[in-house]
Amino acid sequence: MIRVQLAEAFSAAAIHVLQEMLGTEVTVGEQRVESAALRAEDVTVLVGLTGEVSGLSLLTMPSATAFAVAGAMMGETVTELDDIARSAVAELGNMVSGAATIRLEEHGVSSNITPPSVLQGTSPEISTPHLERAVIPLRTGLGDITLHVSIKS
């Protein structure tokens, strides 16, 4: 399975999960491939991928989007990322990556995901040496989220 198909599995999974879990339409911006280190946004959910393919899936978003996402998932207003709100945002990343592995399995690619990690702060740099990254901008009614997929088969 070529890398484009791998990224498409993650993109389709992200669109489906975001629409279902957040109750909002999702549109996809112009996709691109990058090789430079990622300058993450305020909040980043990182999920590792292991098995026949390996790498990372990242959802990055501004704090305001993370508050809105956590609020939609929790059914209440969120104004800070406390432990519960962080857990909700992490679960979104977990669900996107989990749904992507199901799509990969449908193409005969066996993979597993690691527990999600949430990074917070202004512009942390994340590097995946020797791996290109598919960058997929997602516009939702709650704000912009960018999906980054850096995997090798």
Side-chain angles (χ1 to χ4, degrees), residues 2 4 6 9 13 18 23 27 30 32 35 51 76 79-81 86-87 97 101 117 120-121 145 148-149 152:
I2 61 172
V4 170
L6 294 170
L18 292 172
T27 59
E30 187 175 333
R32 62 190 183 278
S35 57
E76 59 187 60
T79 58
E80 68 174 316
L81 280 185
R86 252 190 315 276
S87 179
S97 294
T101 62
S117 298
Q120 285 181 261
I145 299 172
H148 300 263
V149 181
K152 66 179 180 174

Side-chain angles (χ1 to χ4, degrees), residues 93-104:
N94 194 46
M95 293 170 70
V96 167
S97 294
T101 62
I102 291 169
R103 289 175 187 271
L104 292 174

